Structure formats: structure tokens, C-alpha cells
Amino acid sequence: MYAIVEIAGQQFKVEKGRHVFTHRLEGDANAELEFDKVLLVDNDGTVSVGAPTVKGAKVKGTILEHLRGDKVIVFKKKRRKSYQKSNGHRQYLTKVMIDDIVA
């Protein structure tokens, strides 16, 4: 069983017992979360597609930890103009364990 759910403006395919990395969510570690913007639910071949969401469907999860992603290097250069600029960025993430999918 899996579901397509919208978390923090992004869509994720989630399954029970798996974890996802999302943009930083509010809440402490071990806090319970409930996502109700479920767009699609597949229950062993029976697919329910919402318009725009599936009524009565919820995804329950737990925040495992808050962390930062890998460093992304942003490098800009204009040839023959003596212009180089280097910058780095690390995105703030939240690791969420999916506990249950209620359809």
C-alpha cells in the first residue's frame, strides 16, 4: 500500500515503515504528525484518485530528526572578464517516518 501525499508544498510517494526527507517542518523530535492532503491511495491494486484529495484518507508520521542536507556548490564565472564567484548552500531538512496510511 502506498500513497501520494503533499507535504510542505511537495508531493511524495510514501509507504508504511519508510522515511522521507522533507523541507523543515515545525515540531520537535518524536512529535506525531498527520497529513491530510492525500492525492492518491493504492491499496493492493485498488487505486483511489482524489479530486483534488481523497476524502477520509490520512497519513500519520513521526519526526525522527532535524538535519541539514549535503552541500551544494554554486559557482559563477564569466570567461575573459576576471569574474569568479563561489557560494555554498545546505538545505534544512526534516526526516519523517511514515507510521500508517488510513484510507
Side-chain angles (χ1 to χ4, degrees):
M1 177 179 209
Y2 73 89
I4 306 293
V5 63
E6 183 176 330
I7 303 171
Q10 293 183 318
Q11 295 177 6
F12 294 94
K13 178 181 177 182
V14 296
E15 296 179 23
K16 184 178 178 181
R18 299 260 174 117
H19 62 269
V20 293
F21 293 96
T22 67
H23 288 301
R24 183 62 59 99
L25 299 174
E26 293 199 14
D28 296 328
N30 299 323
E32 298 284 328
L33 296 175
E34 191 170 279
F35 307 108
D36 56 351
K37 289 188 177 181
V38 180
L39 307 174
L40 180 140
V41 175
D42 182 3
N43 191 359
D44 298 327
T46 306
V47 179
S48 301
V49 180
T53 60
V54 178
K55 293 194 185 292
K58 293 181 183 178
V59 174
K60 296 179 182 178
T62 305
I63 295 177
L64 295 180
E65 63 178 324
H66 297 292
L67 57 130
R68 293 177 70 188
D70 294 334
K71 188 167 209 173
V72 177
I73 303 296
V74 180
F75 183 74
K76 298 178 182 181
K77 180 178 180 174
K78 295 186 181 180
R79 61 187 190 144
R80 298 186 303 269
K81 304 297 181 194
S82 182
Y83 172 78
Q84 288 185 6
K85 187 173 185 178
S86 181
N87 202 352
H89 174 74
R90 292 183 70 187
Q91 186 69 37
Y92 290 99
L93 301 173
T94 299
K95 186 176 182 181
V96 177
M97 174 64 90
I98 304 301
D99 296 328
D100 193 22
I101 298 173
V102 179

